[in-house]
Amino acid sequence: MSVLVCLLLMGVCLCMGFVPLIAEQYGPERQQTANRLSQTYTDTLYQDLKAEAPDVQLEDVYTDLYLYTSTVQDLADLEPGDGNLRLTVTLFGPYASADDFAKDCRTVADVIQKQAVQPNAVTFRCDAPLPADSTVRNIKAFERTGPSRERKN
Protein backbone atom coordinates (compact mmCIF):
# COMPACT_ATOMS: atom_id res chain seq x y z
CA MET A 1 0.00 0.00 0.00
CA SER A 2 2.79 2.43 0.87
CA VAL A 3 4.41 1.74 -2.52
CA LEU A 4 1.16 2.74 -4.24
CA VAL A 5 0.94 5.97 -2.21
CA CYS A 6 4.60 6.69 -2.95
CA LEU A 7 4.04 6.19 -6.70
CA LEU A 8 0.96 8.39 -6.57
CA LEU A 9 2.90 11.16 -4.83
CA MET A 10 5.72 10.87 -7.37
CA GLY A 11 3.18 11.14 -10.19
CA VAL A 12 1.62 14.25 -8.64
CA CYS A 13 5.08 15.84 -8.22
CA LEU A 14 5.93 15.04 -11.83
CA CYS A 15 2.71 16.65 -13.05
CA MET A 16 3.32 19.71 -10.87
CA GLY A 17 6.69 20.11 -12.57
CA PHE A 18 4.91 20.79 -15.86
CA VAL A 19 2.75 23.61 -14.48
CA PRO A 20 5.42 26.33 -14.91
CA LEU A 21 6.12 25.20 -18.49
CA ILE A 22 2.44 25.31 -19.38
CA ALA A 23 2.01 28.69 -17.67
CA GLU A 24 4.97 30.09 -19.62
CA GLN A 25 3.64 28.88 -22.96
CA TYR A 26 -0.03 29.73 -22.46
CA GLY A 27 0.05 32.42 -19.81
CA PRO A 28 -1.10 36.02 -20.15
CA GLU A 29 2.46 37.37 -20.60
CA ARG A 30 2.76 35.84 -24.07
CA GLN A 31 -0.55 37.35 -25.17
CA GLN A 32 0.40 40.75 -23.70
CA THR A 33 3.70 40.61 -25.59
CA ALA A 34 1.88 39.71 -28.82
CA ASN A 35 -0.53 42.63 -28.32
CA ARG A 36 2.34 45.04 -27.64
CA LEU A 37 4.31 43.86 -30.68
CA SER A 38 1.18 44.02 -32.87
CA GLN A 39 0.64 47.62 -31.82
CA THR A 40 4.30 48.49 -32.44
CA TYR A 41 4.14 46.92 -35.91
CA THR A 42 0.90 48.76 -36.72
CA ASP A 43 2.26 52.12 -35.52
CA THR A 44 5.45 51.71 -37.56
CA LEU A 45 3.50 50.68 -40.64
CA TYR A 46 1.12 53.66 -40.31
CA GLN A 47 4.07 56.06 -40.05
CA ASP A 48 5.75 54.53 -43.10
CA LEU A 49 2.51 54.60 -45.11
CA LYS A 50 1.95 58.27 -44.27
CA ALA A 51 5.51 59.06 -45.37
CA GLU A 52 5.73 56.88 -48.48
CA ALA A 53 2.12 56.60 -49.68
CA PRO A 54 0.30 59.76 -48.56
CA ASP A 55 -2.22 59.54 -51.42
CA VAL A 56 -3.56 56.14 -50.31
CA GLN A 57 -6.52 56.61 -48.03
CA LEU A 58 -6.42 54.03 -45.27
CA GLU A 59 -9.43 53.24 -43.17
CA ASP A 60 -7.75 50.64 -41.00
CA VAL A 61 -4.76 48.35 -40.66
CA TYR A 62 -5.45 45.36 -38.44
CA THR A 63 -2.42 43.44 -37.24
CA ASP A 64 -2.90 39.96 -35.82
CA LEU A 65 0.17 38.41 -34.24
CA TYR A 66 0.09 35.03 -32.56
CA LEU A 67 3.32 33.99 -30.87
CA TYR A 68 4.30 30.33 -30.68
CA THR A 69 7.00 31.05 -28.11
CA SER A 70 7.42 33.26 -25.09
CA THR A 71 11.05 34.06 -25.88
CA VAL A 72 10.19 36.89 -28.29
CA GLN A 73 10.19 40.25 -26.52
CA ASP A 74 10.79 42.62 -29.46
CA LEU A 75 10.03 42.71 -33.17
CA ALA A 76 13.76 42.39 -33.81
CA ASP A 77 13.66 39.02 -32.00
CA LEU A 78 10.88 37.61 -34.22
CA GLU A 79 12.24 34.82 -36.41
CA PRO A 80 10.44 32.49 -38.85
CA GLY A 81 8.58 29.89 -36.84
CA ASP A 82 8.20 32.14 -33.77
CA GLY A 83 4.71 33.26 -34.65
CA ASN A 84 2.01 34.04 -37.19
CA LEU A 85 1.66 37.66 -38.36
CA ARG A 86 -1.31 38.59 -40.53
CA LEU A 87 -2.41 42.00 -41.78
CA THR A 88 -5.79 43.18 -42.98
CA VAL A 89 -5.69 46.55 -44.74
CA THR A 90 -8.99 48.33 -45.35
CA LEU A 91 -8.97 51.19 -47.86
CA PHE A 92 -11.53 53.96 -48.19
CA GLY A 93 -13.64 53.79 -51.30
CA PRO A 94 -15.31 54.17 -53.56
CA TYR A 95 -12.91 53.46 -56.40
CA ALA A 96 -13.67 54.27 -60.03
CA SER A 97 -12.37 50.88 -61.10
CA ALA A 98 -10.88 47.68 -59.77
CA ASP A 99 -7.58 48.78 -61.32
CA ASP A 100 -7.51 51.87 -59.11
CA PHE A 101 -8.11 49.69 -56.06
CA ALA A 102 -5.37 47.31 -57.18
CA LYS A 103 -2.91 50.20 -57.66
CA ASP A 104 -3.48 51.37 -54.10
CA CYS A 105 -3.09 47.79 -52.87
CA ARG A 106 0.22 47.51 -54.74
CA THR A 107 1.43 50.79 -53.22
CA VAL A 108 0.62 49.58 -49.71
CA ALA A 109 2.16 46.16 -50.41
CA ASP A 110 5.39 47.86 -51.51
CA VAL A 111 5.57 49.69 -48.17
CA ILE A 112 4.80 46.48 -46.26
CA GLN A 113 7.60 44.68 -48.07
CA LYS A 114 10.07 47.30 -46.80
CA GLN A 115 9.27 46.45 -43.18
CA ALA A 116 11.90 44.59 -41.15
CA VAL A 117 9.45 41.77 -40.38
CA GLN A 118 7.26 40.44 -43.17
CA PRO A 119 3.77 39.14 -42.42
CA ASN A 120 2.55 35.65 -43.25
CA ALA A 121 -0.43 37.06 -45.13
CA VAL A 122 -1.89 40.40 -46.18
CA THR A 123 -5.53 40.89 -47.12
CA PHE A 124 -6.79 44.10 -48.70
CA ARG A 125 -10.38 45.23 -48.38
CA CYS A 126 -12.39 48.14 -49.66
CA ASP A 127 -14.97 49.75 -47.38
CA ALA A 128 -17.23 50.61 -50.33
CA PRO A 129 -18.41 48.50 -53.23
CA LEU A 130 -16.29 48.66 -56.34
CA PRO A 131 -17.98 49.53 -59.66
CA ALA A 132 -20.76 47.24 -60.83
CA ASP A 133 -18.57 45.70 -63.53
CA SER A 134 -16.07 44.54 -60.91
CA THR A 135 -16.33 41.37 -58.87
CA VAL A 136 -13.28 42.26 -56.73
CA ARG A 137 -13.95 43.22 -53.11
CA ASN A 138 -11.04 41.64 -51.28
CA ILE A 139 -7.55 40.87 -52.47
CA LYS A 140 -5.25 38.47 -50.66
CA ALA A 141 -1.85 39.81 -51.62
CA PHE A 142 0.45 37.05 -50.44
CA GLU A 143 0.75 34.31 -47.92
CA ARG A 144 3.85 32.77 -46.35
CA THR A 145 4.45 29.97 -43.90
CA GLY A 146 5.92 32.26 -41.23
CA PRO A 147 7.06 35.80 -40.52
CA SER A 148 10.34 36.52 -42.18
CA ARG A 149 13.00 39.16 -42.02
CA GLU A 150 13.83 41.49 -44.85
CA ARG A 151 17.04 40.33 -46.43
CA LYS A 152 19.58 43.13 -46.55
CA ASN A 153 22.60 42.60 -48.75
PDB file of all heavy atoms in Angstrom, residues 66-69 71-72 75-85 116-120 144-151:
ATOM      1  N   TYR A  66       0.184  36.115 -33.524  1.00  0.00           N
ATOM      2  CA  TYR A  66       0.089  35.025 -32.564  1.00  0.00           C
ATOM      3  C   TYR A  66       1.483  34.462 -32.384  1.00  0.00           C
ATOM      4  O   TYR A  66       2.118  34.039 -33.350  1.00  0.00           O
ATOM      5  CB  TYR A  66      -0.866  33.924 -33.041  1.00  0.00           C
ATOM      6  CG  TYR A  66      -0.977  32.805 -32.047  1.00  0.00           C
ATOM      7  CD1 TYR A  66      -1.803  32.938 -30.937  1.00  0.00           C
ATOM      8  CD2 TYR A  66      -0.238  31.638 -32.188  1.00  0.00           C
ATOM      9  CE1 TYR A  66      -1.892  31.928 -29.992  1.00  0.00           C
ATOM     10  CE2 TYR A  66      -0.316  30.632 -31.255  1.00  0.00           C
ATOM     11  CZ  TYR A  66      -1.150  30.778 -30.157  1.00  0.00           C
ATOM     12  OH  TYR A  66      -1.227  29.782 -29.219  1.00  0.00           O
ATOM     13  N   LEU A  67       1.982  34.494 -31.162  1.00  0.00           N
ATOM     14  CA  LEU A  67       3.325  33.995 -30.874  1.00  0.00           C
ATOM     15  C   LEU A  67       3.266  32.527 -30.484  1.00  0.00           C
ATOM     16  O   LEU A  67       2.422  32.123 -29.688  1.00  0.00           O
ATOM     17  CB  LEU A  67       3.966  34.798 -29.745  1.00  0.00           C
ATOM     18  CG  LEU A  67       4.269  36.258 -30.057  1.00  0.00           C
ATOM     19  CD1 LEU A  67       4.784  36.968 -28.823  1.00  0.00           C
ATOM     20  CD2 LEU A  67       5.270  36.365 -31.192  1.00  0.00           C
ATOM     21  N   TYR A  68       4.184  31.731 -31.035  1.00  0.00           N
ATOM     22  CA  TYR A  68       4.303  30.328 -30.676  1.00  0.00           C
ATOM     23  C   TYR A  68       5.260  30.119 -29.518  1.00  0.00           C
ATOM     24  O   TYR A  68       5.350  29.022 -28.985  1.00  0.00           O
ATOM     25  CB  TYR A  68       4.799  29.500 -31.868  1.00  0.00           C
ATOM     26  CG  TYR A  68       3.917  29.572 -33.091  1.00  0.00           C
ATOM     27  CD1 TYR A  68       4.474  29.702 -34.348  1.00  0.00           C
ATOM     28  CD2 TYR A  68       2.535  29.504 -32.991  1.00  0.00           C
ATOM     29  CE1 TYR A  68       3.681  29.749 -35.479  1.00  0.00           C
ATOM     30  CE2 TYR A  68       1.739  29.562 -34.116  1.00  0.00           C
ATOM     31  CZ  TYR A  68       2.321  29.677 -35.352  1.00  0.00           C
ATOM     32  OH  TYR A  68       1.529  29.726 -36.473  1.00  0.00           O
ATOM     33  N   THR A  69       5.988  31.146 -29.161  1.00  0.00           N
ATOM     34  CA  THR A  69       6.999  31.045 -28.109  1.00  0.00           C
ATOM     35  C   THR A  69       6.942  32.268 -27.215  1.00  0.00           C
ATOM     36  O   THR A  69       6.493  33.328 -27.641  1.00  0.00           O
ATOM     37  CB  THR A  69       8.407  30.893 -28.722  1.00  0.00           C
ATOM     38  OG1 THR A  69       9.361  30.855 -27.681  1.00  0.00           O
ATOM     39  CG2 THR A  69       8.737  32.046 -29.646  1.00  0.00           C
ATOM     40  N   THR A  71       9.709  33.480 -25.893  1.00  0.00           N
ATOM     41  CA  THR A  71      11.055  34.060 -25.880  1.00  0.00           C
ATOM     42  C   THR A  71      11.139  35.372 -26.649  1.00  0.00           C
ATOM     43  O   THR A  71      12.082  36.126 -26.464  1.00  0.00           O
ATOM     44  CB  THR A  71      12.084  33.074 -26.476  1.00  0.00           C
ATOM     45  OG1 THR A  71      11.711  32.786 -27.819  1.00  0.00           O
ATOM     46  CG2 THR A  71      12.138  31.791 -25.660  1.00  0.00           C
ATOM     47  N   VAL A  72      10.173  35.661 -27.500  1.00  0.00           N
ATOM     48  CA  VAL A  72      10.185  36.887 -28.290  1.00  0.00           C
ATOM     49  C   VAL A  72       9.717  38.047 -27.417  1.00  0.00           C
ATOM     50  O   VAL A  72       8.624  38.005 -26.858  1.00  0.00           O
ATOM     51  CB  VAL A  72       9.275  36.745 -29.528  1.00  0.00           C
ATOM     52  CG1 VAL A  72       9.205  38.049 -30.304  1.00  0.00           C
ATOM     53  CG2 VAL A  72       9.743  35.613 -30.409  1.00  0.00           C
ATOM     54  N   LEU A  75      10.183  43.080 -31.763  1.00  0.00           N
ATOM     55  CA  LEU A  75      10.031  42.708 -33.169  1.00  0.00           C
ATOM     56  C   LEU A  75      11.352  42.246 -33.778  1.00  0.00           C
ATOM     57  O   LEU A  75      11.368  41.386 -34.652  1.00  0.00           O
ATOM     58  CB  LEU A  75       9.477  43.888 -33.971  1.00  0.00           C
ATOM     59  CG  LEU A  75       7.985  44.159 -33.819  1.00  0.00           C
ATOM     60  CD1 LEU A  75       7.596  45.434 -34.539  1.00  0.00           C
ATOM     61  CD2 LEU A  75       7.155  42.988 -34.313  1.00  0.00           C
ATOM     62  N   ALA A  76      12.446  42.797 -33.296  1.00  0.00           N
ATOM     63  CA  ALA A  76      13.760  42.393 -33.807  1.00  0.00           C
ATOM     64  C   ALA A  76      14.070  40.935 -33.458  1.00  0.00           C
ATOM     65  O   ALA A  76      14.877  40.296 -34.123  1.00  0.00           O
ATOM     66  CB  ALA A  76      14.844  43.306 -33.254  1.00  0.00           C
ATOM     67  N   ASP A  77      13.436  40.403 -32.415  1.00  0.00           N
ATOM     68  CA  ASP A  77      13.657  39.016 -31.998  1.00  0.00           C
ATOM     69  C   ASP A  77      12.812  38.016 -32.785  1.00  0.00           C
ATOM     70  O   ASP A  77      13.044  36.817 -32.705  1.00  0.00           O
ATOM     71  CB  ASP A  77      13.304  38.839 -30.512  1.00  0.00           C
ATOM     72  CG  ASP A  77      14.133  39.709 -29.601  1.00  0.00           C
ATOM     73  OD1 ASP A  77      15.251  40.086 -29.996  1.00  0.00           O
ATOM     74  OD2 ASP A  77      13.654  40.008 -28.493  1.00  0.00           O
ATOM     75  N   LEU A  78      11.818  38.492 -33.526  1.00  0.00           N
ATOM     76  CA  LEU A  78      10.881  37.609 -34.217  1.00  0.00           C
ATOM     77  C   LEU A  78      11.554  36.936 -35.407  1.00  0.00           C
ATOM     78  O   LEU A  78      12.025  37.588 -36.327  1.00  0.00           O
ATOM     79  CB  LEU A  78       9.656  38.404 -34.680  1.00  0.00           C
ATOM     80  CG  LEU A  78       8.460  37.617 -35.160  1.00  0.00           C
ATOM     81  CD1 LEU A  78       7.899  36.753 -34.035  1.00  0.00           C
ATOM     82  CD2 LEU A  78       7.381  38.555 -35.665  1.00  0.00           C
ATOM     83  N   GLU A  79      11.632  35.632 -35.358  1.00  0.00           N
ATOM     84  CA  GLU A  79      12.236  34.817 -36.410  1.00  0.00           C
ATOM     85  C   GLU A  79      11.164  33.929 -37.035  1.00  0.00           C
ATOM     86  O   GLU A  79      10.129  33.676 -36.422  1.00  0.00           O
ATOM     87  CB  GLU A  79      13.344  33.933 -35.818  1.00  0.00           C
ATOM     88  CG  GLU A  79      14.530  34.701 -35.265  1.00  0.00           C
ATOM     89  CD  GLU A  79      15.356  35.375 -36.346  1.00  0.00           C
ATOM     90  OE1 GLU A  79      15.353  34.878 -37.493  1.00  0.00           O
ATOM     91  OE2 GLU A  79      15.995  36.391 -36.045  1.00  0.00           O
ATOM     92  N   PRO A  80      11.401  33.432 -38.252  1.00  0.00           N
ATOM     93  CA  PRO A  80      10.444  32.491 -38.847  1.00  0.00           C
ATOM     94  C   PRO A  80      10.194  31.316 -37.901  1.00  0.00           C
ATOM     95  O   PRO A  80      11.114  30.755 -37.332  1.00  0.00           O
ATOM     96  CB  PRO A  80      11.157  32.037 -40.127  1.00  0.00           C
ATOM     97  CG  PRO A  80      12.067  33.172 -40.464  1.00  0.00           C
ATOM     98  CD  PRO A  80      12.520  33.722 -39.142  1.00  0.00           C
ATOM     99  N   GLY A  81       8.947  30.984 -37.728  1.00  0.00           N
ATOM    100  CA  GLY A  81       8.578  29.891 -36.838  1.00  0.00           C
ATOM    101  C   GLY A  81       8.242  30.351 -35.425  1.00  0.00           C
ATOM    102  O   GLY A  81       7.743  29.568 -34.628  1.00  0.00           O
ATOM    103  N   ASP A  82       8.509  31.617 -35.110  1.00  0.00           N
ATOM    104  CA  ASP A  82       8.202  32.137 -33.772  1.00  0.00           C
ATOM    105  C   ASP A  82       6.755  32.576 -33.630  1.00  0.00           C
ATOM    106  O   ASP A  82       6.272  32.756 -32.513  1.00  0.00           O
ATOM    107  CB  ASP A  82       9.096  33.322 -33.417  1.00  0.00           C
ATOM    108  CG  ASP A  82      10.512  32.914 -33.091  1.00  0.00           C
ATOM    109  OD1 ASP A  82      10.746  31.712 -32.880  1.00  0.00           O
ATOM    110  OD2 ASP A  82      11.384  33.798 -33.045  1.00  0.00           O
ATOM    111  N   GLY A  83       6.074  32.794 -34.748  1.00  0.00           N
ATOM    112  CA  GLY A  83       4.707  33.261 -34.651  1.00  0.00           C
ATOM    113  C   GLY A  83       4.040  33.363 -36.006  1.00  0.00           C
ATOM    114  O   GLY A  83       4.609  32.992 -37.034  1.00  0.00           O
ATOM    115  N   ASN A  84       2.830  33.886 -36.001  1.00  0.00           N
ATOM    116  CA  ASN A  84       2.015  34.040 -37.188  1.00  0.00           C
ATOM    117  C   ASN A  84       1.544  35.493 -37.232  1.00  0.00           C
ATOM    118  O   ASN A  84       0.787  35.919 -36.370  1.00  0.00           O
ATOM    119  CB  ASN A  84       0.839  33.080 -37.124  1.00  0.00           C
ATOM    120  CG  ASN A  84       0.015  33.095 -38.375  1.00  0.00           C
ATOM    121  OD1 ASN A  84       0.341  33.751 -39.347  1.00  0.00           O
ATOM    122  ND2 ASN A  84      -1.084  32.352 -38.357  1.00  0.00           N
ATOM    123  N   LEU A  85       2.007  36.244 -38.219  1.00  0.00           N
ATOM    124  CA  LEU A  85       1.665  37.661 -38.361  1.00  0.00           C
ATOM    125  C   LEU A  85       0.818  37.844 -39.605  1.00  0.00           C
ATOM    126  O   LEU A  85       1.240  37.512 -40.719  1.00  0.00           O
ATOM    127  CB  LEU A  85       2.947  38.494 -38.457  1.00  0.00           C
ATOM    128  CG  LEU A  85       2.782  39.991 -38.696  1.00  0.00           C
ATOM    129  CD1 LEU A  85       2.051  40.644 -37.520  1.00  0.00           C
ATOM    130  CD2 LEU A  85       4.137  40.645 -38.894  1.00  0.00           C
ATOM    131  N   ALA A 116      10.879  45.528 -41.610  1.00  0.00           N
ATOM    132  CA  ALA A 116      11.905  44.593 -41.146  1.00  0.00           C
ATOM    133  C   ALA A 116      11.345  43.184 -40.982  1.00  0.00           C
ATOM    134  O   ALA A 116      12.031  42.204 -41.238  1.00  0.00           O
ATOM    135  CB  ALA A 116      12.503  45.077 -39.835  1.00  0.00           C
ATOM    136  N   VAL A 117      10.105  43.069 -40.546  1.00  0.00           N
ATOM    137  CA  VAL A 117       9.452  41.771 -40.379  1.00  0.00           C
ATOM    138  C   VAL A 117       8.301  41.697 -41.382  1.00  0.00           C
ATOM    139  O   VAL A 117       7.461  42.591 -41.441  1.00  0.00           O
ATOM    140  CB  VAL A 117       8.917  41.589 -38.939  1.00  0.00           C
ATOM    141  CG1 VAL A 117       8.181  40.274 -38.804  1.00  0.00           C
ATOM    142  CG2 VAL A 117      10.052  41.686 -37.931  1.00  0.00           C
ATOM    143  N   GLN A 118       8.301  40.626 -42.164  1.00  0.00           N
ATOM    144  CA  GLN A 118       7.265  40.437 -43.172  1.00  0.00           C
ATOM    145  C   GLN A 118       6.135  39.577 -42.610  1.00  0.00           C
ATOM    146  O   GLN A 118       6.391  38.592 -41.923  1.00  0.00           O
ATOM    147  CB  GLN A 118       7.850  39.756 -44.408  1.00  0.00           C
ATOM    148  CG  GLN A 118       8.879  40.592 -45.119  1.00  0.00           C
ATOM    149  CD  GLN A 118       8.271  41.869 -45.653  1.00  0.00           C
ATOM    150  OE1 GLN A 118       7.327  41.838 -46.425  1.00  0.00           O
ATOM    151  NE2 GLN A 118       8.799  43.005 -45.219  1.00  0.00           N
ATOM    152  N   PRO A 119       4.899  39.944 -42.898  1.00  0.00           N
ATOM    153  CA  PRO A 119       3.768  39.141 -42.415  1.00  0.00           C
ATOM    154  C   PRO A 119       3.615  37.839 -43.192  1.00  0.00           C
ATOM    155  O   PRO A 119       4.132  37.697 -44.291  1.00  0.00           O
ATOM    156  CB  PRO A 119       2.569  40.063 -42.653  1.00  0.00           C
ATOM    157  CG  PRO A 119       2.998  40.972 -43.753  1.00  0.00           C
ATOM    158  CD  PRO A 119       4.480  41.134 -43.621  1.00  0.00           C
ATOM    159  N   ASN A 120       2.888  36.908 -42.575  1.00  0.00           N
ATOM    160  CA  ASN A 120       2.553  35.653 -43.252  1.00  0.00           C
ATOM    161  C   ASN A 120       1.568  35.907 -44.375  1.00  0.00           C
ATOM    162  O   ASN A 120       1.635  35.265 -45.418  1.00  0.00           O
ATOM    163  CB  ASN A 120       1.890  34.663 -42.289  1.00  0.00           C
ATOM    164  CG  ASN A 120       2.791  34.275 -41.169  1.00  0.00           C
ATOM    165  OD1 ASN A 120       2.944  35.061 -40.246  1.00  0.00           O
ATOM    166  ND2 ASN A 120       3.395  33.120 -41.239  1.00  0.00           N
ATOM    167  N   ARG A 144       2.605  33.493 -46.623  1.00  0.00           N
ATOM    168  CA  ARG A 144       3.847  32.768 -46.350  1.00  0.00           C
ATOM    169  C   ARG A 144       3.589  31.766 -45.241  1.00  0.00           C
ATOM    170  O   ARG A 144       2.569  31.798 -44.595  1.00  0.00           O
ATOM    171  CB  ARG A 144       4.943  33.723 -45.868  1.00  0.00           C
ATOM    172  CG  ARG A 144       5.259  34.843 -46.799  1.00  0.00           C
ATOM    173  CD  ARG A 144       6.304  35.737 -46.136  1.00  0.00           C
ATOM    174  NE  ARG A 144       6.278  37.077 -46.628  1.00  0.00           N
ATOM    175  CZ  ARG A 144       6.942  37.507 -47.678  1.00  0.00           C
ATOM    176  NH1 ARG A 144       7.676  36.689 -48.358  1.00  0.00           N
ATOM    177  NH2 ARG A 144       6.864  38.742 -48.065  1.00  0.00           N
ATOM    178  N   THR A 145       4.590  30.942 -44.978  1.00  0.00           N
ATOM    179  CA  THR A 145       4.448  29.965 -43.902  1.00  0.00           C
ATOM    180  C   THR A 145       4.866  30.529 -42.549  1.00  0.00           C
ATOM    181  O   THR A 145       4.589  29.932 -41.543  1.00  0.00           O
ATOM    182  CB  THR A 145       5.296  28.709 -44.185  1.00  0.00           C
ATOM    183  OG1 THR A 145       6.648  29.114 -44.371  1.00  0.00           O
ATOM    184  CG2 THR A 145       4.779  27.990 -45.406  1.00  0.00           C
ATOM    185  N   GLY A 146       5.519  31.675 -42.510  1.00  0.00           N
ATOM    186  CA  GLY A 146       5.920  32.261 -41.232  1.00  0.00           C
ATOM    187  C   GLY A 146       6.472  33.647 -41.428  1.00  0.00           C
ATOM    188  O   GLY A 146       6.860  34.008 -42.530  1.00  0.00           O
ATOM    189  N   PRO A 147       6.487  34.463 -40.371  1.00  0.00           N
ATOM    190  CA  PRO A 147       7.055  35.800 -40.519  1.00  0.00           C
ATOM    191  C   PRO A 147       8.521  35.672 -40.927  1.00  0.00           C
ATOM    192  O   PRO A 147       9.212  34.769 -40.511  1.00  0.00           O
ATOM    193  CB  PRO A 147       6.948  36.411 -39.121  1.00  0.00           C
ATOM    194  CG  PRO A 147       6.052  35.537 -38.345  1.00  0.00           C
ATOM    195  CD  PRO A 147       6.041  34.210 -39.016  1.00  0.00           C
ATOM    196  N   SER A 148       8.943  36.573 -41.764  1.00  0.00           N
ATOM    197  CA  SER A 148      10.341  36.517 -42.185  1.00  0.00           C
ATOM    198  C   SER A 148      10.954  37.896 -42.099  1.00  0.00           C
ATOM    199  O   SER A 148      10.265  38.893 -42.023  1.00  0.00           O
ATOM    200  CB  SER A 148      10.443  35.983 -43.615  1.00  0.00           C
ATOM    201  OG  SER A 148       9.798  36.861 -44.512  1.00  0.00           O
ATOM    202  N   ARG A 149      12.248  37.923 -42.090  1.00  0.00           N
ATOM    203  CA  ARG A 149      12.999  39.160 -42.022  1.00  0.00           C
ATOM    204  C   ARG A 149      13.320  39.623 -43.427  1.00  0.00           C
ATOM    205  O   ARG A 149      13.528  38.823 -44.322  1.00  0.00           O
ATOM    206  CB  ARG A 149      14.295  38.952 -41.272  1.00  0.00           C
ATOM    207  CG  ARG A 149      14.076  38.503 -39.881  1.00  0.00           C
ATOM    208  CD  ARG A 149      15.219  39.015 -39.043  1.00  0.00           C
ATOM    209  NE  ARG A 149      14.809  39.095 -37.680  1.00  0.00           N
ATOM    210  CZ  ARG A 149      14.045  40.035 -37.161  1.00  0.00           C
ATOM    211  NH1 ARG A 149      13.637  41.014 -37.868  1.00  0.00           N
ATOM    212  NH2 ARG A 149      13.716  40.025 -35.910  1.00  0.00           N
ATOM    213  N   GLU A 150      13.380  40.936 -43.583  1.00  0.00           N
ATOM    214  CA  GLU A 150      13.829  41.489 -44.846  1.00  0.00           C
ATOM    215  C   GLU A 150      15.306  41.151 -45.007  1.00  0.00           C
ATOM    216  O   GLU A 150      16.091  41.300 -44.092  1.00  0.00           O
ATOM    217  CB  GLU A 150      13.647  43.012 -44.822  1.00  0.00           C
ATOM    218  CG  GLU A 150      14.099  43.679 -46.087  1.00  0.00           C
ATOM    219  CD  GLU A 150      13.940  45.176 -46.002  1.00  0.00           C
ATOM    220  OE1 GLU A 150      12.913  45.637 -45.480  1.00  0.00           O
ATOM    221  OE2 GLU A 150      14.843  45.871 -46.451  1.00  0.00           O
ATOM    222  N   ARG A 151      15.652  40.680 -46.180  1.00  0.00           N
ATOM    223  CA  ARG A 151      17.041  40.331 -46.430  1.00  0.00           C
ATOM    224  C   ARG A 151      17.783  41.557 -46.924  1.00  0.00           C
ATOM    225  O   ARG A 151      17.427  42.126 -47.950  1.00  0.00           O
ATOM    226  CB  ARG A 151      17.130  39.210 -47.449  1.00  0.00           C
ATOM    227  CG  ARG A 151      16.646  37.903 -46.861  1.00  0.00           C
ATOM    228  CD  ARG A 151      16.590  36.829 -47.906  1.00  0.00           C
ATOM    229  NE  ARG A 151      16.189  35.543 -47.462  1.00  0.00           N
ATOM    230  CZ  ARG A 151      15.133  35.209 -46.764  1.00  0.00           C
ATOM    231  NH1 ARG A 151      14.342  36.126 -46.320  1.00  0.00           N
ATOM    232  NH2 ARG A 151      14.837  33.977 -46.464  1.00  0.00           N
TER     233      ARG A 151
END
